Structure formats: C-alpha cells, structure tokens
Amino acid sequence: MSGEREGRGGGGGGGGGGRPYRGGGGGGGYRNNRKRRYRDDDDDGGRQQRRRHEEPLHVKLRKQILTIAESPLRKVEEDITGIGKTVADNYFDDELQTGFYDLLLQMIVEQPFKIPFIAATVLVANTKKVEVTQEILSRVGKKFQEYLEAGEWREVKLVLRFLGCLQGLFEGEGVFPILEDLFSRAVDLQTASSDDALGLELVKIILFTIPYVMSSSATGLEDMASALLDKTDIIASTPHALEALVDPYPGGGDERPAEAASIISILQKQLQSEAQHGWELSCLPRAWKIPPDEDGSDPLVAATKHALPAITVPNPVNQGPKPMFPELYFSVYADQDIETVPPVTDVASSLLRDSLVDTVNILDFNRLATAKFLIDVDCYFAPGTFVKRATPFDRLKETAGDRSTWKPEDVAVDAVFSQLFMLPTPEHKLVYYHSVLTESCKVAPAAIAPSLGRAIRCLYRYIDSMDMELAYRFMDWFSHHLSNFGFTWKWTEWVDDVELPTLHAKKAFIIGALEKEIRLSFAQRIRGTLPEPYQPLISEAKEKETPDFKYDSEQTSFAKEGQEIMELIRKKAPEDEIQPVIDRIHEQANEQGLADPQVYSTDAYVTSICLIGAKSLSHVLSCIERCKDRLLAIGNGGTHQQEQQKQGSPAARKQIITSVMEYWHEQPGIGINIIDKLLNYTILSPMSVVEWALLEHNERGRVLASAHVYEMLSTTAGKVTTRVRQILAARDQPGLPEPQVRLLDETLQRERAEQASMFRVIEEALTAFADGTKDELVEMDDVEQNEGGGQGPEQALIRAWGERWLRVFRRKFAVEEAFVGEALDTANQNGNGNAEMPDATAEDTVS
C-alpha cells in the first residue's frame, strides 16, 4: 500500500517524490473520492496517529506563575492552590524546583503587582511540604542581604514586601525587627544631616511594608505597627529642606492646584488613619484566603512556622547608585468634580501609585508589557476597588451608594505622569514615558484616550504656575503624542487664549507646541489641523522647504561675495579658493569703517553652509565636516592651517550662532539642532551659547517665552554637566595608576570651574530679569510709568519668566554639585582619588 501511494504521489501538484499522496493537482470528484479512500485505507491499515505534544510539567508551571492574576476570567484562588500543590508534590523534580525558585526571585523584583499572589503560593506549598518553604526563605534571605549591601533600595522594598506578605508564616515578630533596624539607620542619617534623603527613603520603605504586613494572614500585630508609626512620625512629618526645590507648582500664575506634599508625609498620615479604623486596607487583595481543607479547617492555621532568615542591615548603609531627593505627590486628576483616582487622604492613593510606578520603571526594557500591566491594573487589587474599565466620566455620577468611582485607566495614567513630571529628573529618558502612554492608548483607546484628554486639560489649566522645566516636558510630550495620533486635538477649547499676549504662559505653550509639531511633520499639514483663529500662528514662510538665501538680494551687504562663497562651498572648492573672497569682504568692511570685519565674512560663510545643508541633517553635517577647520578657527580663536588668519574674535564666534538662527528663523527647531551639532564639534563653546541667548539676543527678555531658546540652553547646560559626570565615572574606575588619577583630578577641577562659571553667568542674567534690574527692563519700566503709572503688564510677565528660568537653572546646578560631592566622598572612602580636591571656586559658585 505504501509503495502504491508513493508511485501515485508524483502525479499531482501537491505530491512529490517519496511523499504520501495528499490529493494534489487539479480538483474534481474523482480525485476527492480517491483522497478520501486512501485516508480510509490509512485508518484501517493501522497507521500511527501523530502524538500530541504535551508540555513538560516545569514549563506548564512556569506559564502558570507568569500569568498568575492576569485574567479576570480565572479564579486566582484556584491558580494559587494549584501552583502551591504542584511545587510541593514534585519536590524531588530538580528542574521544576530550580525553575520555580529562580522565577519567584525574579518576579518579586520585576512584577510588584503579583507579590501578594506569589507569596500566597508559598503559603500553600508550606502546608504540604515545609522543605520548599525553607529553601525559598534561604534564597530570598541571601538575595535580600545582597540588595541591602549594594544599596538597591527599590529591590529591598519589594523583597521586604514579599516577606511582609508571609508574616503569618514566621515565628515571633516576623519582619518587624528588620523594620526597626532600618528605622535606626534612618535616625542616624537624619541626625548626621538634616538634608539627608537616604534616611527618608528608609522610612518610606518601612511605611510601604506595614500595609502588606497588616493585610497578611497574621493577626495581633496592631500594637507593634502603631508603635513603629509613632517612631516614624518624627521623620516623615518634618518637611525636608529640598522639598521646595522639587515642587511641581511653585506658583506665580493665575491658578494653581492644591499645595503638593511629600509622599512620605502623606503615607504617614494615611497609615495613622488606617490604624484608627482597624487596618481595613480595602484595596489590597487577600490572596492568602485559600479554600479550606475537606474537613472545613483553615490549612494555614496548622502550617509549620519558620524563623525569619538571618539578615543584617549594614551600618553605615550604602547610599546606592542613584541620587535621592524628596518626592512630592503629583496628580493630574486631583481637582475634578468626581474622584476618578483615590484622594490623598486614602491609603490606596499611595499603595496603587507605588506599585504602578515601580512596574513602569522596572519594565523599561519592554514598553508593550508595561502598557498591558497598566491596562490590567484592576486585576491585581481587591474586587470593588475600581469601576468597570472605560466607564465614561459622565456616567460616574450614576454610580450608586458607596461604590468606588476610581477609574483604573486614570490611576494608571496618573502614575505615568508622576514619573514624566518627576523633579529633578525621572529615572528613565522622557521618551520612554511618552512611549508607555502611546502604547497604552493603542492597546485600549476607548479607556485611555479620554483619560489623557482630561489630563491635558488639567496640565494646561495650571501651566502658568507650573515649574518651567515641567511646562517644557508637557509641551514636548503633548506634541509627540499628537504626532502619533494624526495631530488631532480639540483646539477650539483654547481658542480664546490665542488672543493672549505672546509672553503669557498659555500663549507661549501653544506657539511652542505648534513649532514642535512642525518639526515632527511639516507646516502645511499642521496648519490643516487647526481652526481659523490659529492660522496666523503658522506663517507662509514656515511652509518653505528651503528658506530664502539673503545674499540673493542686492540690498544685502556683501551680496556678491556671499553668492560666490556659497557657490564655492557647493562645488566643494578648497579653502585656498574661498580665502580670496573672504579677504575681499574684510577689505570692503575696513573701507566702510565697519567694526570687526570677520563678523561679516563669518555671516556669509555660515549662511552659505545653512543653505547648502538645508535639505536634511545629514547634508548640513556633511557640509560642516568639510568646512570644520575654518569653523574651528572662527569658533575657538585658532589659526586656519592654510592661511595666516587673525584669531577669531568673540563677536565672530557668536556670529556663527546668529547666522544659523537667522537663517532658520521660521523653523528654530532646526537651528538649535545645528547649534547642538556645532557644540559637539567644539566649534562653539557652551559659554558662547549662553552669552548669545541671555546677554546679546535676549530681545529685552521676551526671548524667555521662547521654547526653543530654553531647549538650546538646557541642552547646552546638559552637555557641560554630562562632561563632568563622565570624568567622574572615569576617575572611579578601580585600579587606576596614581598619575592618571591626578590627571583626572586636574581635569575634573577645571571642568567643574567652567561649569560653575557657566551657571554663574546664567544666574546673573536671569536674576536681572527676575528682579527687573536689567537695563532694558528699567527702560521699559520708565516708559510704562510715564504712560500710565505702575509696572506694565509686559514687564511683569518678563519678570515672571525670569523667576521661572532662574528656579530651573539653580536647581540644575545644585543637583550637579550634590552629585559630584557625593561621588567624591564615595571615591575617597574607597581609597580612590584625592580627598583634598577643592570644590568649585567661591567666585564661580551660584548663590
């Protein structure tokens, strides 16, 4: 029979040499009948059926654990019981046991939502096989000790949360001795310095552990918890000296939300309230409540108790790899008519936020998984905590009785915004948080899109009271988000603000957002998305792909020479052919009595580069690369290798910036991108950019309302601070020879002095604007007083912008000084480097 099939198999299109007949070739009843006949023959002939692939037990167990509590359609109690029983029943399966232990440790520090459910599986396994629990506690204890010694404080908090969920498993006081040790270290740190932030972090870990201990299967812990709360109250309730530095709404605008409080002080009050109400903790799941045994008894009651693993809290504790600052509670939904997120008086606001923030920051390597966790947040907390997903905001008023009105999507979005608007800096790059919100909106548009809309309206409402850096982050995210969804927004809601002065924060936001949209698309498309009142904000000049070359006009000075230089650069002519044209400009400028002829030749040269490179960034970079030697000579005051040229003047160096920004006047985003590249090539110095923007082209302070100027200065300052940090990182490499350490110390001291000098210039310029003592502002004040008396509205707005800028750059400098100081202290404690290396000089230090 087999041979007959092989002989016939080649006749059809689906057959082939040596393959069983599959009815290939043409259709028709005859062939179909024959196909069925041979299939019947196969069955009757006893042909073996293909074996079904059955996954190994350890693979099935891994999938069960990874997906625990993720589906609302499955009973999580059954999954918990099943996992615990499988692990206990297969104790001698080494592959299964090892996989379970490793996965458990990994999930504790990667998926905080699931910690109560993972802990419950251990409780179940303990009722059936105590050896499993002993091995788990041994491994967890070792890992916990490693995290403590390394200063990995988020991991410490999560492992301690896991142990807190197992409180009913432990003998004696369970995790409370560890909490007491952490508090003792916090007291030592706070006693040594009132500005210490690590002590606050330790207290925060204690406070976030207590709710999970109190919601565990253990009982009779109320007195110990209350006693610990009495101790932490001293530290948690005292305002930190740096809180004002990271306030998201420092004020100064027409409206501002309720004053932000520190997370630790809010949590302290919430837990004290919970203690007074019997530790309800209604949002936390009681995953340990498993089905009773066949005789109706609770299996956890008779289970074996274990000693807590031996854990020693180091003294002194390790600061850890990340700088710490006090955290203030930030919410974009706090001032709504209906509560869609827990109020700060409810402990759920802190517990939900903490798990969400940790999840977002831990899973930065997979934004899709992060988005899914955010959407499914209601699966991981107690039933009734949230309303049904995607419930319209208007329908929340219909919610009957005492039922919750908290929207899971609002709680998730609020947590992401809290990180996007974290001061002084978030844990990850801002674009990561952008992408999480974008992916969440794609996964569940009906739920997330309305939540984002209400968040945008809240942020825009208070933007004139918002920290300047956060206002820029909001603008950056807003334009980026719209670019992912067709640039659609209800612009008609803000149409009245189009008539506001350009210096008003809301008008400045609209202009800045539209400029960023154009950078992400093109002007004509963005114009098509806007209502009529917005049309004048996008001029026809912005729609030109290539701006006009001013030297094409005979009215421009040195027009002929400018055209010649452009043609020579376009033809990639050598510098010795360009030099005679440059010399002609210098000669004519001298004949006309113009000061610093090099300014005019630089303008012609750089403007020509901008024209030739206007097609794309790669074009302009290629052109800069070819012309780099002359640009370096102008920018750094050197001498061109092919000419005997005077040192480049400071005015000529700044003319490079002027030429770039004037050419790209209608699309300043491209201009600042080119300035950024010129900084990378060291053609421009950071100080020249600062002086150009704040001292020479400040437009009497009006430039402070321009988003692109803030971006330029913020990026420039970032390059300087990054340079200092890179030197610190190189200096901290172990095993460096002493001469190399001394060289790095000298370099570090020089770079720190330059950094301090740059921030000093920024400070002085912005202080003059904020105080109204800038010469231009004094002149404006005199004019306005003569015209009507009192301080004019424009001057008041400029002063407000000066104050907002000043706050941002003071914070940036303070953060960098603190970072360098801590890094040097750590290096010196480790015996690497010179402990006597001075700080930035007194005259360069910003007050």
Side-chain angles (χ1 to χ4, degrees), residues 380-632:
Y380 306 107
F381 292 91
T385 301
F386 301 100
V387 296
K388 186 180 178 182
R389 297 181 195 177
T391 300
F393 182 77
D394 295 338
R395 289 184 54 189
L396 293 178
K397 296 178 181 179
E398 304 171 8
T399 303
D402 297 330
R403 291 174 56 193
S404 171
T405 57
W406 303 342
K407 290 171 61 66
E409 50 271 12
D410 278 24
V411 173
V413 168
D414 211 21
V416 180
F417 274 119
S418 75
Q419 298 307 289
L420 182 59
F421 289 80
M422 173 70 71
L423 288 174
T425 54
E427 183 169 338
H428 301 294
K429 291 183 177 181
L430 296 172
V431 71
Y432 166 64
Y433 302 105
H434 294 193
S435 67
V436 169
L437 291 171
T438 298
E439 293 300 333
S440 299
C441 201
K442 290 179 178 178
V443 172
I448 300 296
S451 294
L452 289 178
R454 280 182 284 109
I456 290 169
R457 293 177 183 94
C458 173
L459 292 168
Y460 180 77
R461 176 183 176 185
Y462 299 122
I463 196 164
D464 52 351
S465 296
M466 188 183 292
D467 183 271
M468 175 65 196
E469 185 172 356
L470 297 189
Y472 179 80
R473 288 188 203 172
F474 173 37
M475 179 193 304
D476 196 36
W477 168 77
F478 177 71
S479 55
H480 185 193
H481 186 75
L482 293 190
S483 73
N484 288 311
F485 297 96
F487 294 99
T488 55
W489 172 248
K490 295 180 179 179
W491 290 102
T492 52
E493 296 182 5
W494 301 341
V495 72
D496 292 342
D497 296 338
V498 177
E499 304 301 324
L500 291 171
T502 305
L503 285 172
H504 195 283
K506 291 183 177 178
K507 178 70 172 290
F509 173 84
I510 292 172
I511 294 173
L514 293 178
E515 284 183 356
K516 283 187 169 292
E517 286 190 18
I518 292 172
R519 289 167 68 178
L520 295 169
S521 181
F522 51 92
Q524 189 174 2
R525 182 184 179 191
I526 302 305
R527 181 195 286 271
T529 66
L530 298 174
E532 182 59 34
Y534 289 83
Q535 297 296 320
L537 298 180
I538 300 181
S539 63
E540 292 184 3
K542 290 184 181 292
E543 298 185 10
K544 293 182 179 180
E545 292 185 8
T546 302
D548 294 333
F549 185 54
K550 69 178 182 180
Y551 290 98
D552 284 340
S553 171
E554 295 182 359
Q555 305 300 318
T556 305
S557 301
F558 312 108
K560 180 181 177 182
E561 288 76 15
Q563 293 175 28
E564 289 183 34
I565 291 174
M566 184 272 293
E567 291 297 338
L568 288 170
I569 295 176
R570 189 192 297 277
K571 291 190 298 184
K572 302 180 182 179
E575 287 294 330
D576 55 6
E577 293 185 21
I578 299 176
Q579 186 60 40
V581 186
I582 299 286
D583 292 339
R584 275 172 25 213
I585 294 177
H586 292 172
E587 292 171 2
Q588 294 178 33
N590 286 326
E591 291 172 359
Q592 297 174 26
L594 299 175
D596 204 342
Q598 199 173 16
V599 169
Y600 302 96
S601 63
T602 298
D603 185 35
Y605 192 76
V606 174
T607 304
S608 298
I609 291 175
C610 289
L611 173 67
I612 296 167
K615 289 184 178 180
S616 68
L617 182 61
S618 60
H619 279 76
V620 74
L621 289 178
S622 175
C623 197
I624 291 172
E625 186 69 36
R626 292 202 316 271
C627 304
K628 183 172 64 174
D629 290 342
R630 181 180 292 278
L631 291 171
L632 282 169

Side-chain angles (χ1 to χ4, degrees), residues 617-799:
L617 182 61
S618 60
H619 279 76
V620 74
L621 289 178
S622 175
C623 197
I624 291 172
E625 186 69 36
R626 292 202 316 271
C627 304
K628 183 172 64 174
D629 290 342
R630 181 180 292 278
L631 291 171
L632 282 169
I634 299 170
N636 296 325
T639 301
H640 188 266
Q641 60 183 0
Q642 295 182 354
E643 56 163 316
Q644 296 300 316
Q645 177 182 322
K646 294 187 301 179
Q647 279 200 344
S649 67
R653 294 174 209 147
K654 291 168 188 171
Q655 182 60 44
I656 295 176
I657 307 173
T658 303
S659 298
V660 171
M661 298 307 295
E662 283 185 353
Y663 182 80
W664 290 108
H665 174 71
E666 295 294 340
Q667 298 184 52
I670 298 177
I672 61 174
N673 204 358
I674 295 173
I675 299 299
D676 180 69
K677 305 309 176 189
L678 293 172
L679 282 167
N680 291 345
Y681 279 106
T682 67
I683 291 168
L684 295 176
S685 68
M687 186 66 81
S688 65
V689 176
V690 170
E691 292 175 345
W692 181 89
L694 294 181
L695 301 182
E696 299 180 10
H697 291 77
N698 55 49
E699 300 176 14
R700 294 192 171 189
R702 297 181 183 90
V703 74
L704 300 181
S706 300
H708 68 272
V709 177
Y710 173 80
E711 182 180 347
M712 180 194 295
L713 285 189
S714 181
T715 303
T716 300
K719 288 181 181 296
V720 175
T721 57
T722 299
R723 168 69 175 159
V724 172
R725 292 193 180 207
Q726 287 173 342
I727 297 171
L728 272 174
R731 182 182 181 276
D732 289 342
Q733 296 297 317
L736 288 178
E738 187 62 28
Q740 192 170 353
V741 173
R742 284 199 301 269
L743 179 61
L744 287 171
D745 283 345
E746 293 172 3
T747 306
L748 179 60
Q749 185 175 352
R750 183 176 63 253
E751 293 292 338
R752 287 188 70 192
E754 292 180 2
Q755 173 181 273
S757 179
M758 180 194 69
F759 277 107
R760 175 174 51 80
V761 172
I762 294 174
E763 164 97 2
E764 291 174 353
L766 294 177
T767 299
F769 285 118
D771 295 343
T773 56
K774 196 77 171 172
D775 293 342
E776 296 90 336
L777 291 185
V778 173
E779 294 174 7
M780 289 171 59
D781 192 31
D782 292 340
V783 171
E784 289 169 345
Q785 284 185 353
N786 291 333
E787 290 179 352
Q791 179 178 293
E794 184 173 358
Q795 187 185 15
L797 290 171
I798 291 173
R799 285 187 175 185

Side-chain angles (χ1 to χ4, degrees), residues 359-375:
T359 299
V360 170
N361 285 329
I362 290 169
L363 297 180
D364 63 293
F365 53 86
N366 191 337
R367 67 181 187 277
L368 298 176
T370 304
K372 186 178 185 304
F373 275 118
L374 296 183
I375 299 301

Side-chain angles (χ1 to χ4, degrees), residues 81-101:
T81 304
I83 291 170
K85 187 175 183 302
T86 300
V87 173
D89 291 348
N90 295 272
Y91 176 70
F92 296 103
D93 185 335
D94 292 340
E95 188 172 17
L96 182 143
Q97 294 294 318
T98 302
F100 174 70
Y101 299 144

Side-chain angles (χ1 to χ4, degrees), residues 133-153:
T133 310
Q134 292 170 350
E135 182 64 23
I136 290 171
L137 294 179
S138 173
R139 295 188 180 219
V140 169
K142 291 178 182 177
K143 206 68 180 174
F144 186 54
Q145 190 68 51
E146 292 175 9
Y147 291 141
L148 277 171
E149 293 172 358
E152 300 284 354
W153 297 111

Side-chain angles (χ1 to χ4, degrees), residues 137-441:
L137 294 179
S138 173
R139 295 188 180 219
V140 169
K142 291 178 182 177
K143 206 68 180 174
F144 186 54
Q145 190 68 51
E146 292 175 9
Y147 291 141
L148 277 171
E149 293 172 358
E152 300 284 354
W153 297 111
R154 179 170 58 207
E155 286 73 12
V156 167
K157 177 183 67 175
L158 296 176
V159 176
L160 198 51
R161 179 176 305 170
F162 173 76
L163 294 174
C165 291
L166 296 179
Q167 176 72 17
L169 191 73
F170 296 125
E171 301 169 346
E173 297 180 348
V175 301
F176 277 95
I178 301 178
L179 301 182
E180 292 285 354
D181 288 347
L182 288 174
F183 179 73
S184 297
R185 304 296 183 272
V187 170
D188 294 341
L189 290 166
Q190 288 286 294
T191 303
S193 172
S194 60
D195 293 340
D196 169 72
L198 178 55
L200 295 182
E201 185 68 18
L202 297 183
V203 172
K204 188 175 78 170
I205 291 172
I206 295 169
L207 295 179
F208 272 117
T209 302
I210 291 175
Y212 291 91
V213 174
M214 300 307 294
S215 64
S216 70
S217 59
T219 56
L221 305 174
E222 290 78 8
D223 291 342
M224 284 190 288
S226 296
L228 190 54
L229 283 176
D230 289 341
K231 296 178 181 179
T232 58
D233 187 48
I234 302 172
I235 296 176
S237 300
T238 304
H240 193 276
L242 298 179
E243 283 184 13
L245 197 69
V246 295
D247 187 354
Y249 291 104
D254 298 332
E255 294 183 87
R256 63 164 292 169
E259 185 174 352
S262 69
I263 290 177
I264 189 173
S265 65
I266 291 174
L267 183 56
Q268 174 74 28
K269 294 176 183 177
Q270 292 169 344
L271 293 181
Q272 288 172 335
S273 175
E274 284 292 319
Q276 294 173 3
H277 293 86
W279 295 100
E280 294 178 1
L281 298 167
S282 57
C283 69
L284 292 181
R286 270 45 172 195
W288 51 268
K289 291 187 176 180
I290 57 177
D293 287 337
E294 294 179 357
D295 59 1
S297 62
D298 186 349
L300 298 183
V301 173
T304 302
K305 302 292 183 182
H306 299 263
L308 186 74
I311 295 168
T312 303
V313 179
N315 190 12
V317 291
N318 189 341
Q319 173 76 27
K322 302 172 186 175
M324 294 182 183
F325 293 88
E327 296 179 46
L328 302 188
Y329 190 85
F330 180 88
S331 176
V332 295
Y333 301 114
D335 294 337
Q336 298 181 128
D337 297 335
I338 304 174
E339 287 182 355
T340 62
V341 296
V344 292
T345 55
D346 194 313
V347 72
S349 64
S350 296
L351 298 179
L352 296 174
R353 172 69 63 81
D354 182 62
S355 291
L356 281 161
V357 164
D358 284 344
T359 299
V360 170
N361 285 329
I362 290 169
L363 297 180
D364 63 293
F365 53 86
N366 191 337
R367 67 181 187 277
L368 298 176
T370 304
K372 186 178 185 304
F373 275 118
L374 296 183
I375 299 301
D376 295 340
V377 62
D378 52 348
C379 294
Y380 306 107
F381 292 91
T385 301
F386 301 100
V387 296
K388 186 180 178 182
R389 297 181 195 177
T391 300
F393 182 77
D394 295 338
R395 289 184 54 189
L396 293 178
K397 296 178 181 179
E398 304 171 8
T399 303
D402 297 330
R403 291 174 56 193
S404 171
T405 57
W406 303 342
K407 290 171 61 66
E409 50 271 12
D410 278 24
V411 173
V413 168
D414 211 21
V416 180
F417 274 119
S418 75
Q419 298 307 289
L420 182 59
F421 289 80
M422 173 70 71
L423 288 174
T425 54
E427 183 169 338
H428 301 294
K429 291 183 177 181
L430 296 172
V431 71
Y432 166 64
Y433 302 105
H434 294 193
S435 67
V436 169
L437 291 171
T438 298
E439 293 300 333
S440 299
C441 201

